[in-house]
Amino acid sequence: KQEVTQIPAALSVPEGENLVLNCSFTDSAIYNLQWFRQDPGKGLTSLLLIQSSQREQTSGRLNASLDKSSGRSTLYIAASQPGDSATYLCAVTRGSQGNLIFGKGTKLSVKP
Amino acid sequence: DVKVTQSSRYLVKRTGEKVFLECVQDMDHENMFWYRQDPGLGLRLIYFSYDVKMKEKGDIPEGYSVSREKKERFSLILESASTNQTSMYLCASSLQYYSNSDTQYFGPGTRLTVL
């Protein structure tokens, strides 16, 4: 059974710091891995999607990497800003219909 | 711009009531999903549908049913609401012939409280 774990559960950093969020999964047979952002009381917004054959994806200050063999992914945020404060969720896709299995998230707080 | 809407942002119901949560997407997606999100448990899949009138159980279907009469609309039904169904409910949609470059698009969520 696929399990997704995110460490740490919460993180507080000063503005401007570079940071890394971690995600691990137990079964390497995945279609893709995605990172989502969730603001308090809101839905999820997709940030980055890494296909199973890819190693990394970049969007602006965000960079996500994938190592299928070790069952790990990282989300790197450069030069963090208070607006980055949110919960970040990692999810892997199982099955041909795109069902997602989520980690429990990392709650990030960036202090001015 | 893609859009998934949910009928209510906040809902308060009494134990034993029948509750309908509605989700509509305007992207002509075949797949639609219902999740619930609880502190410490994360997001868990309740039901999903890959076509009109088709449905599949997710990880936690007990106490719920679904209806998909039209492609764009997917309803989650709590036949007799209980306090342990107090939660945030999230709807999502995606393309049917899923490729590894496709994502799910999420609605804003419905915060349901059962008293």
Side-chain angles (χ1 to χ4, degrees), chain B residues 40-68:
Chain B
L41 295 176
L43 274 91
R44 293 176 292 167
L45 181 65
I46 305 171
Y47 267 99
F48 68 99
S49 168
Y50 52 87
D51 202 352
V52 175
K53 297 192 185 295
M54 305 301 287
K55 61 185 179 183
E56 293 282 344
K57 293 180 180 179
D59 299 315
I60 51 165
E62 297 79 18
Y64 303 94
S65 62
V66 290
S67 172
R68 188 144 181 227

PDB file of all heavy atoms in Angstrom, chain B residues 40-68:
ATOM      1  N   GLY B  40      -4.441  16.116  10.874  1.00  0.00           N
ATOM      2  CA  GLY B  40      -3.727  14.916  11.292  1.00  0.00           C
ATOM      3  C   GLY B  40      -3.959  13.707  10.405  1.00  0.00           C
ATOM      4  O   GLY B  40      -3.211  12.718  10.501  1.00  0.00           O
ATOM      5  N   LEU B  41      -4.973  13.776   9.535  1.00  0.00           N
ATOM      6  CA  LEU B  41      -5.268  12.635   8.651  1.00  0.00           C
ATOM      7  C   LEU B  41      -5.036  12.972   7.187  1.00  0.00           C
ATOM      8  O   LEU B  41      -4.966  12.077   6.344  1.00  0.00           O
ATOM      9  CB  LEU B  41      -6.716  12.179   8.846  1.00  0.00           C
ATOM     10  CG  LEU B  41      -7.049  11.620  10.221  1.00  0.00           C
ATOM     11  CD1 LEU B  41      -8.541  11.298  10.316  1.00  0.00           C
ATOM     12  CD2 LEU B  41      -6.225  10.373  10.533  1.00  0.00           C
ATOM     13  N   GLY B  42      -4.954  14.248   6.871  1.00  0.00           N
ATOM     14  CA  GLY B  42      -4.717  14.647   5.492  1.00  0.00           C
ATOM     15  C   GLY B  42      -5.943  14.483   4.622  1.00  0.00           C
ATOM     16  O   GLY B  42      -7.080  14.391   5.111  1.00  0.00           O
ATOM     17  N   LEU B  43      -5.724  14.450   3.309  1.00  0.00           N
ATOM     18  CA  LEU B  43      -6.811  14.265   2.345  1.00  0.00           C
ATOM     19  C   LEU B  43      -7.020  12.786   2.080  1.00  0.00           C
ATOM     20  O   LEU B  43      -6.072  12.052   1.809  1.00  0.00           O
ATOM     21  CB  LEU B  43      -6.477  14.942   1.013  1.00  0.00           C
ATOM     22  CG  LEU B  43      -6.822  16.397   0.884  1.00  0.00           C
ATOM     23  CD1 LEU B  43      -5.649  17.252   1.307  1.00  0.00           C
ATOM     24  CD2 LEU B  43      -7.221  16.729  -0.545  1.00  0.00           C
ATOM     25  N   ARG B  44      -8.291  12.380   2.120  1.00  0.00           N
ATOM     26  CA  ARG B  44      -8.615  10.987   1.850  1.00  0.00           C
ATOM     27  C   ARG B  44      -9.725  10.926   0.806  1.00  0.00           C
ATOM     28  O   ARG B  44     -10.684  11.679   0.886  1.00  0.00           O
ATOM     29  CB  ARG B  44      -9.045  10.287   3.143  1.00  0.00           C
ATOM     30  CG  ARG B  44      -7.919  10.147   4.169  1.00  0.00           C
ATOM     31  CD  ARG B  44      -8.439   9.543   5.465  1.00  0.00           C
ATOM     32  NE  ARG B  44      -9.327  10.440   6.165  1.00  0.00           N
ATOM     33  CZ  ARG B  44     -10.108  10.093   7.175  1.00  0.00           C
ATOM     34  NH1 ARG B  44     -10.105   8.836   7.599  1.00  0.00           N
ATOM     35  NH2 ARG B  44     -10.880  10.983   7.761  1.00  0.00           N
ATOM     36  N   LEU B  45      -9.589   9.988  -0.130  1.00  0.00           N
ATOM     37  CA  LEU B  45     -10.528   9.865  -1.231  1.00  0.00           C
ATOM     38  C   LEU B  45     -11.780   9.134  -0.781  1.00  0.00           C
ATOM     39  O   LEU B  45     -11.705   8.020  -0.253  1.00  0.00           O
ATOM     40  CB  LEU B  45      -9.859   9.121  -2.389  1.00  0.00           C
ATOM     41  CG  LEU B  45     -10.688   8.916  -3.652  1.00  0.00           C
ATOM     42  CD1 LEU B  45     -11.014  10.255  -4.312  1.00  0.00           C
ATOM     43  CD2 LEU B  45      -9.948   8.010  -4.622  1.00  0.00           C
ATOM     44  N   ILE B  46     -12.953   9.745  -1.037  1.00  0.00           N
ATOM     45  CA  ILE B  46     -14.228   9.137  -0.648  1.00  0.00           C
ATOM     46  C   ILE B  46     -14.803   8.323  -1.818  1.00  0.00           C
ATOM     47  O   ILE B  46     -15.079   7.135  -1.698  1.00  0.00           O
ATOM     48  CB  ILE B  46     -15.236  10.217  -0.215  1.00  0.00           C
ATOM     49  CG1 ILE B  46     -14.665  11.089   0.900  1.00  0.00           C
ATOM     50  CG2 ILE B  46     -16.547   9.575   0.243  1.00  0.00           C
ATOM     51  CD1 ILE B  46     -15.527  12.297   1.226  1.00  0.00           C
ATOM     52  N   TYR B  47     -15.020   8.997  -2.922  1.00  0.00           N
ATOM     53  CA  TYR B  47     -15.543   8.379  -4.145  1.00  0.00           C
ATOM     54  C   TYR B  47     -14.953   9.104  -5.346  1.00  0.00           C
ATOM     55  O   TYR B  47     -14.565  10.263  -5.253  1.00  0.00           O
ATOM     56  CB  TYR B  47     -17.073   8.535  -4.227  1.00  0.00           C
ATOM     57  CG  TYR B  47     -17.890   7.399  -3.675  1.00  0.00           C
ATOM     58  CD1 TYR B  47     -18.421   7.493  -2.393  1.00  0.00           C
ATOM     59  CD2 TYR B  47     -18.173   6.272  -4.435  1.00  0.00           C
ATOM     60  CE1 TYR B  47     -19.194   6.461  -1.869  1.00  0.00           C
ATOM     61  CE2 TYR B  47     -18.947   5.247  -3.928  1.00  0.00           C
ATOM     62  CZ  TYR B  47     -19.460   5.336  -2.640  1.00  0.00           C
ATOM     63  OH  TYR B  47     -20.226   4.321  -2.132  1.00  0.00           O
ATOM     64  N   PHE B  48     -14.940   8.409  -6.469  1.00  0.00           N
ATOM     65  CA  PHE B  48     -14.642   9.085  -7.713  1.00  0.00           C
ATOM     66  C   PHE B  48     -15.514   8.528  -8.834  1.00  0.00           C
ATOM     67  O   PHE B  48     -16.121   7.452  -8.708  1.00  0.00           O
ATOM     68  CB  PHE B  48     -13.151   9.026  -8.068  1.00  0.00           C
ATOM     69  CG  PHE B  48     -12.632   7.658  -8.417  1.00  0.00           C
ATOM     70  CD1 PHE B  48     -12.479   7.280  -9.738  1.00  0.00           C
ATOM     71  CD2 PHE B  48     -12.239   6.770  -7.427  1.00  0.00           C
ATOM     72  CE1 PHE B  48     -11.961   6.036 -10.067  1.00  0.00           C
ATOM     73  CE2 PHE B  48     -11.729   5.526  -7.740  1.00  0.00           C
ATOM     74  CZ  PHE B  48     -11.594   5.158  -9.064  1.00  0.00           C
ATOM     75  N   SER B  49     -15.582   9.276  -9.920  1.00  0.00           N
ATOM     76  CA  SER B  49     -16.406   8.907 -11.061  1.00  0.00           C
ATOM     77  C   SER B  49     -15.610   9.163 -12.328  1.00  0.00           C
ATOM     78  O   SER B  49     -15.017  10.228 -12.481  1.00  0.00           O
ATOM     79  CB  SER B  49     -17.681   9.744 -11.067  1.00  0.00           C
ATOM     80  OG  SER B  49     -18.362   9.613 -12.290  1.00  0.00           O
ATOM     81  N   TYR B  50     -15.597   8.190 -13.235  1.00  0.00           N
ATOM     82  CA  TYR B  50     -14.842   8.347 -14.474  1.00  0.00           C
ATOM     83  C   TYR B  50     -15.752   8.541 -15.680  1.00  0.00           C
ATOM     84  O   TYR B  50     -15.289   8.605 -16.817  1.00  0.00           O
ATOM     85  CB  TYR B  50     -13.881   7.184 -14.695  1.00  0.00           C
ATOM     86  CG  TYR B  50     -14.518   5.829 -14.606  1.00  0.00           C
ATOM     87  CD1 TYR B  50     -15.102   5.243 -15.722  1.00  0.00           C
ATOM     88  CD2 TYR B  50     -14.542   5.128 -13.403  1.00  0.00           C
ATOM     89  CE1 TYR B  50     -15.693   3.997 -15.635  1.00  0.00           C
ATOM     90  CE2 TYR B  50     -15.132   3.886 -13.306  1.00  0.00           C
ATOM     91  CZ  TYR B  50     -15.706   3.320 -14.422  1.00  0.00           C
ATOM     92  OH  TYR B  50     -16.291   2.105 -14.331  1.00  0.00           O
ATOM     93  N   ASP B  51     -17.066   8.601 -15.439  1.00  0.00           N
ATOM     94  CA  ASP B  51     -17.997   8.845 -16.536  1.00  0.00           C
ATOM     95  C   ASP B  51     -19.372   9.101 -15.927  1.00  0.00           C
ATOM     96  O   ASP B  51     -19.623   8.774 -14.754  1.00  0.00           O
ATOM     97  CB  ASP B  51     -18.032   7.644 -17.478  1.00  0.00           C
ATOM     98  CG  ASP B  51     -18.527   8.007 -18.870  1.00  0.00           C
ATOM     99  OD1 ASP B  51     -18.983   9.154 -19.074  1.00  0.00           O
ATOM    100  OD2 ASP B  51     -18.459   7.139 -19.766  1.00  0.00           O
ATOM    101  N   VAL B  52     -20.261   9.625 -16.737  1.00  0.00           N
ATOM    102  CA  VAL B  52     -21.627   9.841 -16.267  1.00  0.00           C
ATOM    103  C   VAL B  52     -22.217   8.515 -15.798  1.00  0.00           C
ATOM    104  O   VAL B  52     -22.050   7.482 -16.443  1.00  0.00           O
ATOM    105  CB  VAL B  52     -22.479  10.459 -17.388  1.00  0.00           C
ATOM    106  CG1 VAL B  52     -23.929  10.578 -16.963  1.00  0.00           C
ATOM    107  CG2 VAL B  52     -21.936  11.814 -17.782  1.00  0.00           C
ATOM    108  N   LYS B  53     -22.872   8.561 -14.659  1.00  0.00           N
ATOM    109  CA  LYS B  53     -23.545   7.421 -14.030  1.00  0.00           C
ATOM    110  C   LYS B  53     -22.581   6.327 -13.562  1.00  0.00           C
ATOM    111  O   LYS B  53     -23.026   5.281 -13.113  1.00  0.00           O
ATOM    112  CB  LYS B  53     -24.607   6.822 -14.963  1.00  0.00           C
ATOM    113  CG  LYS B  53     -25.737   7.787 -15.286  1.00  0.00           C
ATOM    114  CD  LYS B  53     -26.895   7.097 -15.965  1.00  0.00           C
ATOM    115  CE  LYS B  53     -27.962   8.088 -16.378  1.00  0.00           C
ATOM    116  NZ  LYS B  53     -28.593   8.750 -15.220  1.00  0.00           N
ATOM    117  N   MET B  54     -21.279   6.568 -13.654  1.00  0.00           N
ATOM    118  CA  MET B  54     -20.304   5.591 -13.159  1.00  0.00           C
ATOM    119  C   MET B  54     -19.695   6.123 -11.873  1.00  0.00           C
ATOM    120  O   MET B  54     -19.474   7.330 -11.713  1.00  0.00           O
ATOM    121  CB  MET B  54     -19.211   5.358 -14.196  1.00  0.00           C
ATOM    122  CG  MET B  54     -19.713   4.942 -15.558  1.00  0.00           C
ATOM    123  SD  MET B  54     -20.669   3.414 -15.519  1.00  0.00           S
ATOM    124  CE  MET B  54     -19.381   2.222 -15.250  1.00  0.00           C
ATOM    125  N   LYS B  55     -19.403   5.207 -10.940  1.00  0.00           N
ATOM    126  CA  LYS B  55     -18.785   5.610  -9.687  1.00  0.00           C
ATOM    127  C   LYS B  55     -17.921   4.468  -9.159  1.00  0.00           C
ATOM    128  O   LYS B  55     -18.182   3.302  -9.424  1.00  0.00           O
ATOM    129  CB  LYS B  55     -19.839   5.987  -8.655  1.00  0.00           C
ATOM    130  CG  LYS B  55     -20.774   4.854  -8.301  1.00  0.00           C
ATOM    131  CD  LYS B  55     -21.865   5.320  -7.368  1.00  0.00           C
ATOM    132  CE  LYS B  55     -22.815   4.159  -7.029  1.00  0.00           C
ATOM    133  NZ  LYS B  55     -23.948   4.594  -6.175  1.00  0.00           N
ATOM    134  N   GLU B  56     -16.901   4.874  -8.409  1.00  0.00           N
ATOM    135  CA  GLU B  56     -16.011   3.901  -7.792  1.00  0.00           C
ATOM    136  C   GLU B  56     -15.758   4.339  -6.346  1.00  0.00           C
ATOM    137  O   GLU B  56     -15.586   5.533  -6.079  1.00  0.00           O
ATOM    138  CB  GLU B  56     -14.665   3.839  -8.520  1.00  0.00           C
ATOM    139  CG  GLU B  56     -14.729   3.280  -9.922  1.00  0.00           C
ATOM    140  CD  GLU B  56     -14.833   1.770  -9.949  1.00  0.00           C
ATOM    141  OE1 GLU B  56     -14.557   1.142  -8.914  1.00  0.00           O
ATOM    142  OE2 GLU B  56     -15.166   1.222 -11.024  1.00  0.00           O
ATOM    143  N   LYS B  57     -15.696   3.375  -5.433  1.00  0.00           N
ATOM    144  CA  LYS B  57     -15.382   3.699  -4.051  1.00  0.00           C
ATOM    145  C   LYS B  57     -13.905   4.062  -3.917  1.00  0.00           C
ATOM    146  O   LYS B  57     -13.051   3.467  -4.557  1.00  0.00           O
ATOM    147  CB  LYS B  57     -15.701   2.504  -3.154  1.00  0.00           C
ATOM    148  CG  LYS B  57     -17.178   2.192  -3.056  1.00  0.00           C
ATOM    149  CD  LYS B  57     -17.422   0.996  -2.153  1.00  0.00           C
ATOM    150  CE  LYS B  57     -18.913   0.699  -2.055  1.00  0.00           C
ATOM    151  NZ  LYS B  57     -19.188  -0.481  -1.196  1.00  0.00           N
ATOM    152  N   GLY B  58     -13.682   5.036  -3.051  1.00  0.00           N
ATOM    153  CA  GLY B  58     -12.320   5.390  -2.695  1.00  0.00           C
ATOM    154  C   GLY B  58     -11.901   4.675  -1.429  1.00  0.00           C
ATOM    155  O   GLY B  58     -12.312   3.536  -1.179  1.00  0.00           O
ATOM    156  N   ASP B  59     -11.128   5.365  -0.609  1.00  0.00           N
ATOM    157  CA  ASP B  59     -10.593   4.745   0.604  1.00  0.00           C
ATOM    158  C   ASP B  59     -11.563   4.751   1.784  1.00  0.00           C
ATOM    159  O   ASP B  59     -11.484   3.903   2.664  1.00  0.00           O
ATOM    160  CB  ASP B  59      -9.295   5.455   1.012  1.00  0.00           C
ATOM    161  CG  ASP B  59      -8.236   5.327  -0.070  1.00  0.00           C
ATOM    162  OD1 ASP B  59      -8.061   4.215  -0.606  1.00  0.00           O
ATOM    163  OD2 ASP B  59      -7.586   6.341  -0.402  1.00  0.00           O
ATOM    164  N   ILE B  60     -12.482   5.726   1.806  1.00  0.00           N
ATOM    165  CA  ILE B  60     -13.378   5.856   2.960  1.00  0.00           C
ATOM    166  C   ILE B  60     -14.813   6.123   2.504  1.00  0.00           C
ATOM    167  O   ILE B  60     -15.412   7.151   2.813  1.00  0.00           O
ATOM    168  CB  ILE B  60     -12.916   6.971   3.922  1.00  0.00           C
ATOM    169  CG1 ILE B  60     -12.661   8.286   3.165  1.00  0.00           C
ATOM    170  CG2 ILE B  60     -11.661   6.554   4.696  1.00  0.00           C
ATOM    171  CD1 ILE B  60     -12.570   9.498   4.073  1.00  0.00           C
ATOM    172  N   PRO B  61     -15.481   5.200   1.796  1.00  0.00           N
ATOM    173  CA  PRO B  61     -16.813   5.462   1.262  1.00  0.00           C
ATOM    174  C   PRO B  61     -17.959   5.299   2.261  1.00  0.00           C
ATOM    175  O   PRO B  61     -19.089   5.724   1.990  1.00  0.00           O
ATOM    176  CB  PRO B  61     -16.930   4.405   0.166  1.00  0.00           C
ATOM    177  CG  PRO B  61     -16.103   3.259   0.679  1.00  0.00           C
ATOM    178  CD  PRO B  61     -14.951   3.901   1.403  1.00  0.00           C
ATOM    179  N   GLU B  62     -17.674   4.717   3.413  1.00  0.00           N
ATOM    180  CA  GLU B  62     -18.753   4.386   4.359  1.00  0.00           C
ATOM    181  C   GLU B  62     -19.469   5.656   4.816  1.00  0.00           C
ATOM    182  O   GLU B  62     -18.843   6.626   5.250  1.00  0.00           O
ATOM    183  CB  GLU B  62     -18.184   3.651   5.572  1.00  0.00           C
ATOM    184  CG  GLU B  62     -17.552   2.303   5.251  1.00  0.00           C
ATOM    185  CD  GLU B  62     -16.154   2.429   4.677  1.00  0.00           C
ATOM    186  OE1 GLU B  62     -15.525   3.506   4.837  1.00  0.00           O
ATOM    187  OE2 GLU B  62     -15.682   1.463   4.049  1.00  0.00           O
ATOM    188  N   GLY B  63     -20.794   5.617   4.743  1.00  0.00           N
ATOM    189  CA  GLY B  63     -21.614   6.744   5.178  1.00  0.00           C
ATOM    190  C   GLY B  63     -21.876   7.773   4.092  1.00  0.00           C
ATOM    191  O   GLY B  63     -22.574   8.762   4.340  1.00  0.00           O
ATOM    192  N   TYR B  64     -21.348   7.518   2.907  1.00  0.00           N
ATOM    193  CA  TYR B  64     -21.497   8.452   1.785  1.00  0.00           C
ATOM    194  C   TYR B  64     -22.041   7.728   0.548  1.00  0.00           C
ATOM    195  O   TYR B  64     -21.837   6.523   0.397  1.00  0.00           O
ATOM    196  CB  TYR B  64     -20.159   9.085   1.411  1.00  0.00           C
ATOM    197  CG  TYR B  64     -19.453   9.806   2.511  1.00  0.00           C
ATOM    198  CD1 TYR B  64     -18.489   9.160   3.297  1.00  0.00           C
ATOM    199  CD2 TYR B  64     -19.730  11.150   2.779  1.00  0.00           C
ATOM    200  CE1 TYR B  64     -17.837   9.825   4.317  1.00  0.00           C
ATOM    201  CE2 TYR B  64     -19.080  11.824   3.793  1.00  0.00           C
ATOM    202  CZ  TYR B  64     -18.131  11.154   4.556  1.00  0.00           C
ATOM    203  OH  TYR B  64     -17.486  11.823   5.569  1.00  0.00           O
ATOM    204  N   SER B  65     -22.688   8.479  -0.322  1.00  0.00           N
ATOM    205  CA  SER B  65     -23.002   8.002  -1.658  1.00  0.00           C
ATOM    206  C   SER B  65     -22.770   9.165  -2.617  1.00  0.00           C
ATOM    207  O   SER B  65     -22.550  10.300  -2.176  1.00  0.00           O
ATOM    208  CB  SER B  65     -24.437   7.486  -1.759  1.00  0.00           C
ATOM    209  OG  SER B  65     -25.358   8.523  -1.482  1.00  0.00           O
ATOM    210  N   VAL B  66     -22.793   8.884  -3.912  1.00  0.00           N
ATOM    211  CA  VAL B  66     -22.555   9.929  -4.906  1.00  0.00           C
ATOM    212  C   VAL B  66     -23.539   9.779  -6.050  1.00  0.00           C
ATOM    213  O   VAL B  66     -24.163   8.734  -6.235  1.00  0.00           O
ATOM    214  CB  VAL B  66     -21.115   9.887  -5.462  1.00  0.00           C
ATOM    215  CG1 VAL B  66     -20.099  10.316  -4.415  1.00  0.00           C
ATOM    216  CG2 VAL B  66     -20.779   8.508  -6.026  1.00  0.00           C
ATOM    217  N   SER B  67     -23.637  10.855  -6.811  1.00  0.00           N
ATOM    218  CA  SER B  67     -24.505  10.856  -7.980  1.00  0.00           C
ATOM    219  C   SER B  67     -23.847  11.650  -9.078  1.00  0.00           C
ATOM    220  O   SER B  67     -23.336  12.753  -8.833  1.00  0.00           O
ATOM    221  CB  SER B  67     -25.858  11.479  -7.633  1.00  0.00           C
ATOM    222  OG  SER B  67     -26.653  11.652  -8.795  1.00  0.00           O
ATOM    223  N   ARG B  68     -23.856  11.114 -10.300  1.00  0.00           N
ATOM    224  CA  ARG B  68     -23.322  11.848 -11.446  1.00  0.00           C
ATOM    225  C   ARG B  68     -24.269  11.620 -12.623  1.00  0.00           C
ATOM    226  O   ARG B  68     -24.127  10.694 -13.390  1.00  0.00           O
ATOM    227  CB  ARG B  68     -21.911  11.393 -11.792  1.00  0.00           C
ATOM    228  CG  ARG B  68     -21.281  12.283 -12.869  1.00  0.00           C
ATOM    229  CD  ARG B  68     -19.849  12.460 -12.621  1.00  0.00           C
ATOM    230  NE  ARG B  68     -19.242  13.320 -13.618  1.00  0.00           N
ATOM    231  CZ  ARG B  68     -18.104  13.018 -14.228  1.00  0.00           C
ATOM    232  NH1 ARG B  68     -17.475  11.902 -13.954  1.00  0.00           N
ATOM    233  NH2 ARG B  68     -17.590  13.859 -15.104  1.00  0.00           N
TER     234      ARG B  68
END
